Amino acid sequence: MSVRVLSVASEIYPIIKTGGLADVAGALPPALKAEAVEVRTLVPGYPQVMRAIGMAEEVLRWPEFFGGAGRLLLGKADELELFVLDAPHLYARAGNPYVTPEGVDWPDNGVRFAALSRIAADIGLGAVPAFVPDVVHAHDWQAGLAPVYLHYSGRPRPPTVMTVHNLAYQGRFQQDLLGRIGLPWESFTLHGVEYYGEVSFMKAGLQFADHITTVSPSYANEILDEEGGMGLAGLLRERSGALSGILNGIDIRVWNPATDPQIPGRFNARDLAARPANKAALQRRLGLELFPDSCLVGVISRLSWQKGLDLLLEVLPALLDEGMQLALLGSGDADLQERFSAAANANPERVGVFIGYDEGLAHLIQAGADALVVPSRFEPCGLTQLCALRYGAVPVVSRVGGLEDTVLDPADAAGAATGIKFAPVTAEHLARALRRTAFAFHDKCAWRRLQHNGMATDVSWRGPAKQYAELYRRLARTPASA
């Protein structure tokens, strides 16, 4: 049974990316082709998107759409089949899709992403006869109103899936938004879009979607508890029968150490001989001491409390006492940026920091670091540890969410271990994990076994794509209520 799916996402790799949502939105559709699932992804017409699609076909036009003229375009970028909502008054802005150059949320984000959901619903209801989807798949809060618009259309509609990439971001706006985005006032109830006197796009999607997925099975369980549920645990428990976790994968064509054009030494699981050349290149790139016998720990992360990077700063003296080096790539919280930069200035041969994002450096860290640390307090899935497994960088991770699901500690499975895990998420337990890492690193046979086990792990989209295809088919066979 072939299935047509409309995927709705606010970002998509490789066109525009701020986080893991873009990676999923970009890599899942090509993987689903092998499962006879045809996906077209609806994205906002940011400048980067408009440049990527080049000449595109106009399929719909509105003289007035959420405050200005708008068009729906049909386009393609590499393997990605796209619908693009071209509404310059909403999306023709440079830089980050969500925040101003000063780092403040765009004040009209509620309107901008309601518009995206509105068009998703229209497509779902047949506005483009050449592509009438069997399922509408909304990603995170920015697409959370798509199931709501479909529900209140009062017309026969396709079933909907809502995927939670990170429950901490919920898209909450003032009540008066409701009248501006064309939803009926009757939707503003406890069992509608209302959340403590505001409109919550995330809560709305969770309330009205026919099925909810998270990006790992463990995270699906964690969000049922009050702490992990971020204020939505009660609703999620009510809807637990329609909730499941499907683990993310990574694009193994982009992340392939045997063919990666962004690293100087290419290698594979059978032959790691070229890997030390990447370590030396990474050390040179960040001005670190060229010492091959020092365990080089990498970090590729948003610098935030969620990611536990404040804990890494706490244990940095212990890390250095173990003879380790640190290579960090990331940006985020201004205080953390300053503190990591200060640590690099104080220990220039041992600590290298790049504030910002650099795709080439991210690949070099995966290929050159001995270990990759991810000390998150919560982690819906995490992708850097999957890349680390692929590249032979041993993951050192907290026992939360997708980190728990994707890394095996020697205590879990001695002969099949792929990394080091710790719990609870405290500085003390992170320091212990780093000491275990240093000890294992100096046991070359044990370390090589961790690397080989990790590189043998299937981190592709093949398995997850099968699970999504099964979900879509099951939903498509069950007519959705209006």
Side-chain angles (χ1 to χ4, degrees), residues 29-213:
L32 283 165
K33 289 180 180 178
E35 303 300 323
V37 176
E38 179 187 355
V39 180
R40 192 171 289 278
T41 306
L42 172 65
V43 293
Y46 309 121
Q48 301 94 322
V49 174
M50 299 303 294
R51 288 193 296 269
I53 61 172
M55 296 296 292
E57 176 189 354
E58 180 181 300
V59 291
L60 293 172
R61 174 185 285 268
W62 313 272
E64 171 56 36
F65 180 76
F66 284 71
R71 302 185 299 162
L72 182 66
L73 305 178
L74 185 63
K76 188 170 183 178
D78 297 324
E79 294 182 79
L80 299 171
E81 303 286 345
L82 301 175
F83 282 120
V84 177
L85 177 53
D86 178 27
H89 61 291
L90 299 176
Y91 307 122
R93 305 170 189 183
N96 188 289
Y98 315 119
V99 300
T100 69
E102 294 73 35
V104 179
D105 287 351
W106 291 109
D108 60 344
N109 273 349
V111 174
R112 297 172 75 221
F113 295 110
L116 185 71
S117 292
R118 170 74 265 181
I119 295 309
D122 288 351
I123 296 170
L125 294 170
V128 182
F131 186 89
V132 180
D134 301 298
V135 177
V136 174
H137 187 166
H139 291 274
D140 251 357
W141 75 261
Q142 294 90 348
L145 293 189
V148 186
Y149 282 117
L150 284 166
H151 174 85
Y152 283 103
S153 72
R155 296 164 55 188
R157 63 171 181 82
T160 54
V161 177
M162 175 75 179
T163 292
V164 178
H165 294 264
N166 192 334
L167 199 60
Y169 301 96
Q170 298 183 4
R172 293 170 59 178
F173 303 96
Q174 294 299 309
Q175 176 182 345
D176 62 5
L177 176 69
L178 208 61
R180 299 162 58 198
I181 62 176
L183 283 176
W185 284 104
E186 67 220 51
S187 68
F188 193 72
T189 68
L190 176 64
H191 297 292
V193 304
E194 187 269 340
Y195 183 79
Y196 290 96
E198 296 181 319
V199 176
S200 168
F201 284 36
M202 176 65 81
K203 188 254 188 175
L206 299 177
Q207 184 76 58
F208 287 97
D210 294 295
H211 193 87
I212 303 163
T213 68

Side-chain angles (χ1 to χ4, degrees), residues 256-290:
N256 184 353
T259 60
D260 193 333
Q262 305 202 66
I263 60 176
R266 299 183 184 95
F267 59 95
N268 56 48
R270 295 182 301 277
D271 183 4
L272 299 177
R275 205 172 186 284
N278 299 315
K279 181 174 182 176
L282 176 58
Q283 289 169 324
R284 283 193 293 270
R285 171 79 185 269
L286 294 179
L288 301 175
E289 182 182 19
L290 291 174

Side-chain angles (χ1 to χ4, degrees), residues 407-425:
V407 178
L408 287 174
D409 187 275
D412 302 326
T418 59
I420 305 293
K421 296 199 286 194
F422 68 95
V425 187

